[in-house]
Amino acid sequence: MANIQEVAKEAGVSVATVSRVMNGGAVTPKTKGKVEEVIKRLNYEPSMLGRNLRNSESRLLLVLIPTISNPYYSDIINGIENTVIRQGYNILLCETDSNPERENIYFDMVRKKMADGIISMDPTVNMEELKILAEDHPIIQCSEYSVESGIPFVTIDNEEAAYRAVSHLVNIGRTDIAMINSDVTFLYARQRQLGYQRALEEKGVPFDEGNVYYTNGPSFERGQQAMRKILTDHKDHSAVFAVSDLLAIGALKEAHQLGLRVPEDIAIAGFDKIAFSNMTNPALTTIAQPMYDMGTTSAQMLIDKINGRTVESTMMSHELIIRESTIG
Amino acid sequence: MANIQEVAKEAGVSVATVSRVMNGGAVTPKTKGKVEEVIKRLNYEPSMLGRNLRNSESRLLLVLIPTISNPYYSDIINGIENTVIRQGYNILLCETDSNPERENIYFDMVRKKMADGIISMDPTVNMEELKILAEDHPIIQCSEYSVESGIPFVTIDNEEAAYRAVSHLVNIGRTDIAMINSDVTFLYARQRQLGYQRALEEKGVPFDEGNVYYTNGPSFERGQQAMRKILTDHKDHSAVFAVSDLLAIGALKEAHQLGLRVPEDIAIAGFDKIAFSNMTNPALTTIAQPMYDMGTTSAQMLIDKINGRTVESTMMSHELIIRESTIG
DNA sequence: TCCTGTTTTGTAATCGATTACATTTAAAAT
DNA sequence: ATTTTAAATGTAATCGATTACAAAACAGGA
């Protein structure tokens, strides 16, 4: 592997000239041609390590997610990726597994200059640590956020979205609605519960804490468990609102397993519009978040922040997608 | 942000001594304590950029996948991640979108020393380019591979696995089996078709090319399309073998949509045992690959290769998981 | 005390690029 | 032809670590 010195020597010029040829500096067409010929002949590829050290940047951005197995993140990541690649950056997908140790490895990468910034989408992130890190390094929150942290964020109006989903259930005549929530330590969980509550109270249905079933994270299995609990409680719910599609799909599976028809016996609505929400039978009513745009927006915000520009938190729009699981 | 120079000056020692304190060299307990105090006080974090340049390594490994939205990869990636992190590496998840341009960006990262090696899981990878890259850089193929490339690989016996799945369908009395294959430019697709063929012929059912439905990639939508075609061809198939769970889940959805009962009217088997294969209704019969182990194995192979050790290609075991979609 | 051998510490080169500044070369103006 | 001005090129410092080698400090033995 040739380096810039060898190219310079072979072409009979200085390293500065080679560098200029590479980066579009002022060089005579003649020398440029000569150098380019040598570059091609020696198969020279400039080392990013040298350049990065000199420029004290890595052009690597971290994207923190709790797990890649939740398809919720895939479109957001797509948006991020397309945005940053166009500007000469790359992303490192960081799966924390909600493990503080793992998380710390990634924080360390930023501290040690191996990454230029972070987009955090991890609801389980250690906000204290993140806040401290944000004092010295560019960080953006996407989807899940904390206002008090002072770290810019991109999100949707969770409360309003949940309100709309639950209102829709009420409007099709299902007032007896159970809620499958995840963990109220997460802001989105609290916000969506508020929306659920508001929709019910507005229709004169008193809010009953007993109708909210909390799970330990938004996974398929937890959705199954919650649904089993709901059905064995024998409260005759005619609808279920789950705060995530994975939970809803789990609930759907369990309802079928226990011989119920969806939506005839029980309607189910999810949240997020992950790809799989359309693959179930019946297809799932859900809330669509502008995933891709949330990705591009947060990515651009991060790059702006890296470049010293000031950035503003953004609230994005959402949409209720009515499908088979709540029709009838 | 303090650097090693400032720490050295502040502690009244040389940079060499600071480096030794950081990396466990020989230092007097007294100096060690003094330096550590300064490190803590100045909040010093050694820059990886400097170290990496000096050591000409990045300790970053690339993992090439066509798309993160295919959950097939998540467990493999988990295995890779756990293995490499323990050895001081990190992975960069690279989504190529089957786009040669994107792919080239990642290849460039290796050429430019921003990554130390590659685990390729992308069936659409440009094998010519990969082969050339492998001459100068450590590369391992996982799951999808090419023997002729000479690049070490980790895989399962696709032909045998498909043979078992199809034999199972025959054994439950369904000899009239359609196959939903992806693209035969992929080795796994050809191998699984061979297994399908062998299972049929062994039971005296002649192979009929007309019963194989090719799709443009293993996605849910393609599975739906293929199933629609199968059912409108009116050949009265009593079973479908799909080469991937996503295809099978699409087929399942379409069968339901068209009013068929699974497995009573038509049995469906998939391949890969992705998490969602258990969330459908009915749950999907499928082939389990030792995903996590494939991840750890290929990761260790890559690290071995980086360290100049010789590595051998590995064939891993698989398992037929019989579930509701083929019972009855 | 002096010498030897070992351990600790420091000096300076190195990794591979970029870039400020100095110098040379070429073009334009007189 | 000479001076002025602009463009091209080169020299060397720099980014922040590691490490070979040199030098200094210290211990033990005579």
Side-chain angles (χ1 to χ4, degrees):
Chain A
M1 295 293 119
N3 61 17
I4 200 172
Q5 319 284 343
E6 302 175 52
V7 173
K9 196 166 165 195
E10 183 76 12
V13 299
S14 72
V15 293
T17 302
V18 177
S19 178
R20 288 187 194 105
V21 170
M22 303 290 306
N23 301 302
V27 265
T28 305
K30 200 179 71 179
T31 28
K32 189 174 174 188
K34 192 171 56 181
V35 171
E36 278 173 342
E37 182 271 320
V38 175
I39 287 176
K40 194 155 287 172
R41 183 152 51 79
L42 296 193
N43 224 318
Y44 167 65
E45 296 275 358
S47 157
M48 286 291 211
L49 295 175
R51 158 184 326 201
N52 289 346
L53 172 57
R54 174 57 210 240
N55 300 347
S56 31
E57 61 174 10
S58 66
R59 300 201 80 83
L60 228 46
L61 308 177
L62 304 188
V63 176
L64 252 54
I65 55 179
T67 163
I68 60 163
S69 68
N70 188 339
Y72 168 70
Y73 300 103
S74 40
D75 263 355
I76 303 183
I77 292 168
N78 258 317
I80 296 176
E81 195 141 29
N82 283 332
T83 306
V84 305
I85 280 188
R86 211 165 306 138
Q87 301 180 59
Y89 286 86
N90 266 292
I91 64 166
L92 229 160
L93 222 47
C94 304
E95 201 181 17
T96 65
D97 273 331
S98 303
N99 175 351
E101 228 172 287
R102 265 283 184 84
E103 185 179 280
N104 207 48
I105 291 177
Y106 298 119
F107 286 176
D108 257 357
M109 287 189 66
V110 177
R111 296 192 193 103
K112 293 182 193 301
K113 309 264 163 62
M114 264 303 273
D116 295 347
I118 294 181
I119 293 175
S120 171
M121 300 202 279
D122 186 0
T124 65
V125 76
N126 179 338
M127 195 47 77
E128 284 311 302
E129 282 288 320
L130 195 70
K131 206 169 144 185
I132 295 172
L133 200 66
E135 291 168 10
D136 291 319
H137 304 276
I139 296 181
I140 301 290
Q141 307 177 87
C142 181
S143 214
E144 178 73 1
Y145 63 102
S146 145
V147 182
E148 310 88 63
S149 70
I151 305 172
F153 57 85
V154 176
T155 187
I156 61 163
D157 188 337
N158 283 296
E159 197 260 350
E160 177 68 18
Y163 167 79
R164 286 199 202 159
V166 176
S167 293
H168 159 68
L169 292 173
V170 173
N171 289 341
I172 62 168
R174 313 290 176 100
T175 48
D176 206 347
I177 307 170
M179 176 177 190
I180 302 182
N181 203 344
S182 62
D183 192 319
V184 285
T185 55
F186 307 148
L187 180 59
Y188 79 87
R190 294 197 299 277
Q191 292 175 328
R192 292 177 194 177
Q193 182 163 332
L194 283 177
Y196 162 82
Q197 192 168 341
R198 175 156 70 89
L200 288 183
E201 286 170 348
E202 201 178 283
K203 309 284 175 173
V205 184
F207 170 70
D208 177 0
E209 173 89 32
N211 289 336
V212 182
Y213 292 79
Y214 299 98
T215 68
N216 189 14
S219 69
F220 171 75
E221 291 79 9
R222 302 297 179 182
Q224 283 184 297
Q225 289 170 12
M227 191 60 155
R228 204 170 312 139
K229 196 127 185 298
I230 290 173
L231 294 176
T232 51
D233 274 0
H234 288 108
K235 294 220 209 123
D236 283 327
H237 290 289
S238 58
V240 170
F241 167 60
V243 294
S244 100
D245 283 345
L246 283 180
L247 288 171
I249 293 172
L252 179 63
K253 170 90 184 173
E254 191 65 17
H256 277 141
Q257 208 108 38
L258 298 179
L260 291 179
R261 287 165 309 152
V262 178
E264 292 83 354
D265 299 325
I266 191 162
I268 299 181
F271 205 115
D272 290 342
K273 202 191 173 206
I274 62 173
F276 268 97
S277 68
N278 197 30
M279 305 186 197
T280 54
N281 186 41
L284 202 63
T285 288
T286 188
I287 294 284
Q289 301 193 37
M291 313 276 215
Y292 190 89
D293 291 343
M294 290 170 73
T296 58
T297 304
S298 50
Q300 194 53 57
M301 282 167 67
L302 182 57
I303 293 179
D304 283 350
K305 196 143 215 279
I306 288 172
N307 293 324
R309 295 187 278 270
T310 52
V311 302
E312 298 284 329
S313 295
T314 321
M315 183 77 71
M316 310 204 65
S317 64
H318 61 264
E319 196 183 344
L320 174 64
I321 308 289
I322 300 173
R323 292 195 289 217
E324 302 154 8
S325 70
T326 64
I327 290 177
Chain B
M1 293 292 119
N3 61 18
I4 199 172
Q5 318 283 344
E6 303 176 50
V7 173
K9 196 165 165 194
E10 183 77 12
V13 299
S14 72
V15 292
T17 301
V18 177
S19 178
R20 287 187 192 104
V21 170
M22 303 291 306
N23 301 300
V27 266
T28 305
K30 200 180 69 179
T31 28
K32 189 174 172 183
K34 192 171 51 178
V35 171
E36 277 172 342
E37 182 270 321
V38 175
I39 287 176
K40 194 156 288 173
R41 182 152 52 79
L42 296 192
N43 224 318
Y44 166 66
E45 296 274 358
S47 157
M48 287 297 229
L49 295 175
R51 162 187 318 206
N52 288 347
L53 173 58
R54 173 59 209 237
N55 299 346
S56 29
E57 62 174 11
S58 66
R59 301 199 82 83
L60 227 47
L61 308 178
L62 304 188
V63 176
L64 252 54
I65 55 179
T67 164
I68 61 163
S69 68
N70 188 338
Y72 168 70
Y73 299 103
S74 42
D75 262 354
I76 303 183
I77 292 166
N78 258 317
I80 295 175
E81 195 140 29
N82 282 331
T83 306
V84 306
I85 280 188
R86 210 166 305 139
Q87 301 179 61
Y89 285 87
N90 265 293
I91 64 165
L92 227 161
L93 224 45
C94 305
E95 200 180 18
T96 65
D97 273 329
S98 304
N99 175 350
E101 226 173 288
R102 265 283 184 84
E103 186 179 280
N104 206 49
I105 291 176
Y106 298 120
F107 285 176
D108 258 359
M109 287 190 66
V110 177
R111 297 193 193 102
K112 294 182 192 302
K113 309 263 164 59
M114 264 304 273
D116 295 346
I118 294 181
I119 294 176
S120 170
M121 299 202 279
D122 186 359
T124 66
V125 75
N126 179 338
M127 195 46 78
E128 285 310 303
E129 282 289 319
L130 194 70
K131 206 170 144 185
I132 294 172
L133 200 67
E135 290 168 12
D136 292 320
H137 304 276
I139 296 182
I140 301 289
Q141 305 178 87
C142 182
S143 215
E144 177 73 359
Y145 63 103
S146 144
V147 182
E148 310 89 61
S149 70
I151 306 171
F153 57 85
V154 176
T155 188
I156 62 161
D157 188 337
N158 283 296
E159 198 260 349
E160 178 68 18
Y163 167 81
R164 286 198 201 158
V166 176
S167 294
H168 160 68
L169 291 173
V170 173
N171 289 339
I172 61 168
R174 314 288 176 101
T175 49
D176 207 346
I177 308 170
M179 175 175 191
I180 302 181
N181 202 344
S182 61
D183 192 318
V184 284
T185 55
F186 307 148
L187 180 60
Y188 79 87
R190 296 197 297 278
Q191 292 175 329
R192 291 176 195 178
Q193 182 163 332
L194 283 177
Y196 162 80
Q197 193 169 342
R198 176 156 71 88
L200 289 183
E201 286 170 348
E202 200 178 284
K203 308 285 174 172
V205 183
F207 171 70
D208 176 359
E209 173 89 31
N211 289 336
V212 182
Y213 292 78
Y214 299 98
T215 69
N216 189 16
S219 69
F220 171 74
E221 291 80 10
R222 303 296 178 180
Q224 283 185 298
Q225 288 170 12
M227 190 60 154
R228 204 170 311 139
K229 196 127 186 298
I230 289 173
L231 295 175
T232 51
D233 275 0
H234 289 108
K235 293 221 207 119
D236 282 328
H237 291 288
S238 57
V240 170
F241 167 60
V243 295
S244 100
D245 283 346
L246 282 179
L247 288 172
I249 293 171
L252 179 64
K253 170 88 184 175
E254 191 65 18
H256 277 140
Q257 209 107 36
L258 298 179
L260 291 179
R261 288 164 308 153
V262 178
E264 293 82 353
D265 300 325
I266 192 162
I268 299 180
F271 204 114
D272 290 343
K273 202 191 174 204
I274 62 174
F276 269 97
S277 68
N278 196 29
M279 306 185 197
T280 56
N281 184 43
L284 202 63
T285 289
T286 190
I287 294 285
Q289 302 193 38
M291 313 275 217
Y292 190 89
D293 290 343
M294 289 169 72
T296 57
T297 304
S298 49
Q300 194 53 57
M301 281 167 67
L302 182 57
I303 293 179
D304 284 348
K305 197 143 214 280
I306 288 170
N307 293 323
R309 294 188 278 270
T310 52
V311 302
E312 300 282 330
S313 294
T314 321
M315 183 78 72
M316 311 204 66
S317 64
H318 61 265
E319 196 183 344
L320 174 65
I321 308 291
I322 299 173
R323 293 196 289 220
E324 302 154 10
S325 71
T326 64
I327 289 175

